[in-house]
Amino acid sequence: MKLIELDTVNSTNTWSLEHFEDLEDFCVVSANIQTQGKGRFGRVWVSDNCKNIYMSFVLKPEKKDYIANLTQYLSVVVSKIIEKYGVKPEIKWPNDVLVNGKKICGILCETKLFNNKIKGVVLGIGINLNMEKTELAEIDKPATALNIETDKEINKNEFLNLLLSEFEKGYKQVTEEGFLSISAEYKKRTNFLGKKFLIQQKDGAQKQEILIKKLNDDGSLTVETTDGNEKIIFSGDLFT
Ligand code: BTN
């Protein structure tokens, strides 16, 4: 897996999308600092700490059917690495990784289209490895970092290498078989089944109350809305 290391960039996702044609399949672009780090739903991902991870996988799989599951795959991969540090993560559907209810990692997947056809994806990830408590307090949602959870400074290179080799292990299988190839590993790290949440499905949209009934074989959720109807949810953000 080729690693392209940048110092400062607007966003590793934006940069990778701009250079997509020239970048080889399965390469990784990482940066020390992002000046315009992006989160899901148009949010900002504060990226001014070079001890954290900001990076993007450039992926051009032959079979495109399961690219929507790559974010869930990456949430499992990151969880496995966090566990190696003796910390217990939890996956919040679809792909947030939390520790003690606080977010430690965010994932943003963007699709590269050409003539309305999918060419591949840029799968971006930000991981809080080393942060001060004061820095975390400035984030508008509960957030934590691995150094806080372990009480130790985290070696960024070591974490990155573990992450890349773990990502490589199951990547081919998930692109060929989809969510089913990771559902057991995903499910055992979740805690949302049978619980009530508010869901926001678009930026700025009103939140709706739902009861999560089932995690489906394709990674989507079957939920019950307050009027008693069941529906299937493919994307969104859960709030308690
Ligand atoms: C989220 O909202 O939870 C997703 C955050 C994703 C942040 C990462 S950092 C590397 C990559 N480049 C970006 O601009 N965003 C992603």
Side-chain angles (χ1 to χ4, degrees):
M1 192 173 244
K2 185 175 166 189
L3 177 62
I4 300 172
E5 293 181 280
L6 306 173
D7 185 28
T8 302
V9 70
N10 49 4
S11 141
T12 56
N13 266 33
T14 307
W15 191 91
S16 302
L17 286 167
E18 277 168 13
H19 296 85
F20 195 81
E21 307 294 341
D22 303 324
L23 294 168
E24 64 188 56
D25 178 25
F26 217 59
C27 74
V28 177
V29 178
S30 85
N32 278 330
I33 303 280
Q34 297 185 121
T35 53
Q36 289 169 54
K38 301 183 282 187
R40 292 172 70 220
F41 297 101
R43 291 189 285 246
V44 170
W45 188 261
V46 178
S47 314
D48 55 1
N49 179 335
C50 62
K51 292 180 176 176
N52 287 338
I53 286 182
Y54 312 112
M55 67 178 206
S56 303
F57 294 84
V58 176
L59 305 169
K60 310 180 181 185
E62 230 154 79
K63 193 165 170 180
K64 310 284 192 290
D65 309 35
Y66 303 121
I67 52 175
N69 297 119
L70 287 172
T71 62
Q72 290 169 313
Y73 172 60
L74 185 52
S75 69
V76 172
V77 168
V78 175
S79 298
K80 285 184 180 172
I81 306 308
I82 289 176
E83 283 158 11
K84 287 189 198 286
Y85 288 78
V87 170
K88 192 174 178 295
E90 179 192 325
I91 299 175
K92 191 181 90 177
W93 188 88
N95 53 50
D96 277 345
V97 181
L98 314 179
V99 174
N100 292 324
K102 297 175 201 159
K103 188 154 159 166
I104 196 162
C105 153
I107 296 171
L108 174 70
C109 187
E110 297 186 87
T111 309
K112 181 74 185 178
L113 296 172
F114 184 73
N115 286 342
N116 276 334
K117 268 190 76 183
I118 297 175
K119 295 301 249 179
V121 293
V122 170
L123 182 58
I125 181 165
I127 312 171
N128 300 339
L129 287 190
N130 295 291
M131 292 177 81
E132 303 286 337
K133 286 195 174 143
T134 48
E135 234 182 312
L136 288 165
E138 282 167 21
I139 300 176
D140 58 355
K141 279 188 191 167
T144 189
L146 197 53
N147 67 317
I148 304 284
E149 300 299 329
T150 57
D151 217 8
K152 277 191 205 108
E153 171 97 6
I154 305 298
N155 182 319
K156 178 171 162 175
N157 266 337
E158 191 177 277
F159 191 101
L160 192 69
N161 288 333
L162 288 170
L163 184 69
L164 299 188
S165 71
E166 187 64 38
F167 186 85
E168 217 159 345
K169 279 186 200 162
Y171 172 71
K172 198 163 185 296
Q173 198 184 6
V174 74
T175 59
E176 284 168 2
E177 297 169 18
F179 188 72
L180 267 184
S181 75
I182 55 159
S183 63
E185 291 293 323
Y186 182 90
K187 207 169 171 178
K188 73 179 188 199
R189 296 177 171 88
T190 60
N191 185 25
F192 52 71
L193 289 171
K195 297 211 168 122
K196 281 187 178 167
F197 288 91
L198 292 172
I199 187 161
Q200 186 174 38
Q201 290 196 273
K202 275 200 190 106
D203 190 19
Q206 227 188 336
K207 295 176 189 151
Q208 278 188 310
E209 195 180 303
I210 51 154
L211 168 68
I212 301 184
K213 302 205 79 172
K214 188 169 174 269
L215 174 66
N216 301 313
D217 287 351
D218 61 358
S220 64
L221 294 178
T222 298
V223 304
E224 189 181 295
T225 50
T226 43
D227 53 16
N229 288 324
E230 276 196 359
K231 64 176 185 175
I232 295 182
I233 307 267
F234 292 95
S235 70
D237 216 2
L238 300 179
F239 295 86
T240 41

